[in-house]
Amino acid sequence: MRIVVTGATGNLGTALLRRLADEPDVAVHGISRRAPEVEPPYDSINWTPVDISREGAEEPLAEAFRDADAVVHLAWLIQPSRDERLLYRTNVAGSDRVFTAAAKVGVPHLVHMSSVGAYSPAAKDHTVDESWPTDGLVNSYYSRHKAAVEHQLDQVEREHPQLTVTRVRPGLVLQPDAAAEIKRYFLGRLVPHALFRVKLPVLPLPRTMVLQFVHADDVADALARILTTRAEGAFNLVSEPVVTPQVLAEVMGTRHVPIPPAALRTAARLSWRLRLQPTSPGWVDLALTAPLLDATKAFARLGWTPRHNARDTLRQLLDGLARKEGLAPSPPLRP
């Protein structure tokens, strides 16, 4: 089986390369904007450097996709948050180029990494399955882009019924190797690494800041199962427990102090406008309103069970943040 992976040097791409290395008779071809250093897990596959945001990227993509049994589309930009047009060129227009190239050369299986962010808002008192609407949240560029690509895939399926399309919708994906990237994307210089080595006196968060996490290695395992069985449709991926502010405070060894959602939104908006940190206020709205996911379908259809629970995944990330962990051979994950 020949598998081509876009965004193969990122958080999920790196985890998938590690996982596919354990699969017999699987050859992987990596696509990335910047080639990694020739070290594990990037040293045993072929690479094609392609910037999918550029017009004309369809041609080198089609060449790389030719004779592939599957294309896994992971490439996505989160920063710079102040230039949505640039992000759109990669996330939405770039995804369209990937899908067009895959269909053009007759790739039989297309797997797209979507997100909980593609879903329409829902109350935090229940979970939703894969049938929940994927119209996103208008206040979040990340959510708007994820929803737009879901709608692109609807059209791909209508126009190419012979193509097996799979959509993977995880919660927040974490791993220690991505600690430096996650801090750079969401915290910037406002929060120093040293802060993760001390015990905070309190953790001020709204009660509705309820989230779900999943380890990158567990997402990679689900992707491998999807690829080897050519499973189609959509799959939610999350691990237990659901992380409430109280759970997060316990993991951090501190005490949760409830604050109004408006206070967090205001702090995010002002600090972003003052360029103190890189996270746009839409991320706060997304965290407060994104639905909680039911992953029963992945358990039943894929035989998937996450090996890491959400508490352990968070602890590993916090430890990685404290130690400035990353993965030097990867441009996105480099400390």
Side-chain angles (χ1 to χ4, degrees), residues 76-335:
W76 197 267
L77 272 188
I78 290 178
Q79 293 291 351
S81 62
R82 302 172 197 282
D83 190 348
E84 185 173 349
R85 287 184 298 177
L86 186 152
L87 299 176
Y88 184 95
R89 288 200 298 270
T90 292
N91 298 341
V92 182
S95 293
D96 185 61
R97 294 183 181 102
V98 170
F99 303 157
T100 298
K104 178 181 178 180
V105 299
V107 173
H109 190 189
L110 175 62
V111 181
H112 169 62
M113 183 54 59
S114 188
S115 166
V116 61
Y119 283 117
S120 300
K124 301 282 189 175
D125 59 356
H126 66 280
T127 59
V128 305
D129 65 14
E130 290 81 358
S131 65
W132 194 255
T134 53
D135 294 321
L137 176 68
V138 69
N139 294 347
S140 163
Y141 73 80
Y142 174 85
S143 183
R144 290 195 303 270
H145 292 178
K146 286 293 186 183
V149 176
E150 288 268 3
H151 296 316
Q152 285 179 349
L153 281 174
D154 293 340
Q155 183 174 349
V156 169
E157 288 184 304
R158 288 192 297 269
E159 295 178 352
H160 304 279
Q162 78 285 356
L163 175 61
T164 298
V165 175
T166 312
R167 312 164 196 232
V168 182
R169 300 171 184 152
L172 302 179
V173 182
L174 308 177
Q175 65 166 320
D177 282 345
E181 178 190 49
I182 290 169
K183 180 182 181 300
R184 187 165 60 247
Y185 284 173
F186 295 104
L187 303 176
R189 298 180 181 179
L190 181 63
V191 180
H193 285 281
L195 190 64
F196 296 97
R197 295 194 288 268
V198 301
K199 182 178 178 180
L200 298 178
V202 295
L203 181 65
L205 286 176
R207 287 191 175 93
T208 50
M209 183 70 82
V210 180
L211 303 169
Q212 290 171 297
F213 298 92
V214 61
H215 198 288
D217 287 343
D218 287 325
V219 178
D221 181 58
L223 286 170
R225 293 167 185 266
I226 286 167
L227 290 165
T228 55
T229 62
R230 195 174 287 186
E232 64 179 332
F235 293 93
N236 293 338
L237 300 177
V238 289
S239 61
E240 295 292 340
V242 171
V243 177
T244 63
Q246 292 84 357
V247 170
L248 181 57
E250 290 171 12
V251 170
M252 298 179 69
T254 186
R255 179 172 60 91
H256 171 232
V257 175
I259 63 172
L264 184 60
R265 287 189 177 101
T266 299
R269 183 174 63 253
L270 290 177
S271 58
W272 184 70
R273 287 182 176 176
L274 292 171
R275 298 180 180 268
L276 298 176
Q277 54 84 17
T279 302
S280 63
W283 284 99
V284 173
D285 290 323
L286 184 60
L288 292 171
T289 63
L292 299 179
L293 305 184
D294 179 350
T296 301
K297 183 179 176 182
F299 302 152
R301 287 273 305 277
L302 304 178
W304 176 77
T305 302
R307 294 187 299 110
H308 304 80
N309 68 49
R311 288 176 183 268
D312 290 342
T313 299
L314 271 171
R315 287 192 184 99
Q316 290 178 28
L317 178 72
L318 292 171
D319 186 57
L321 287 166
R323 296 198 279 180
K324 304 182 183 181
E325 286 189 20
L327 201 62
S330 162
L333 303 185
R334 186 171 295 146

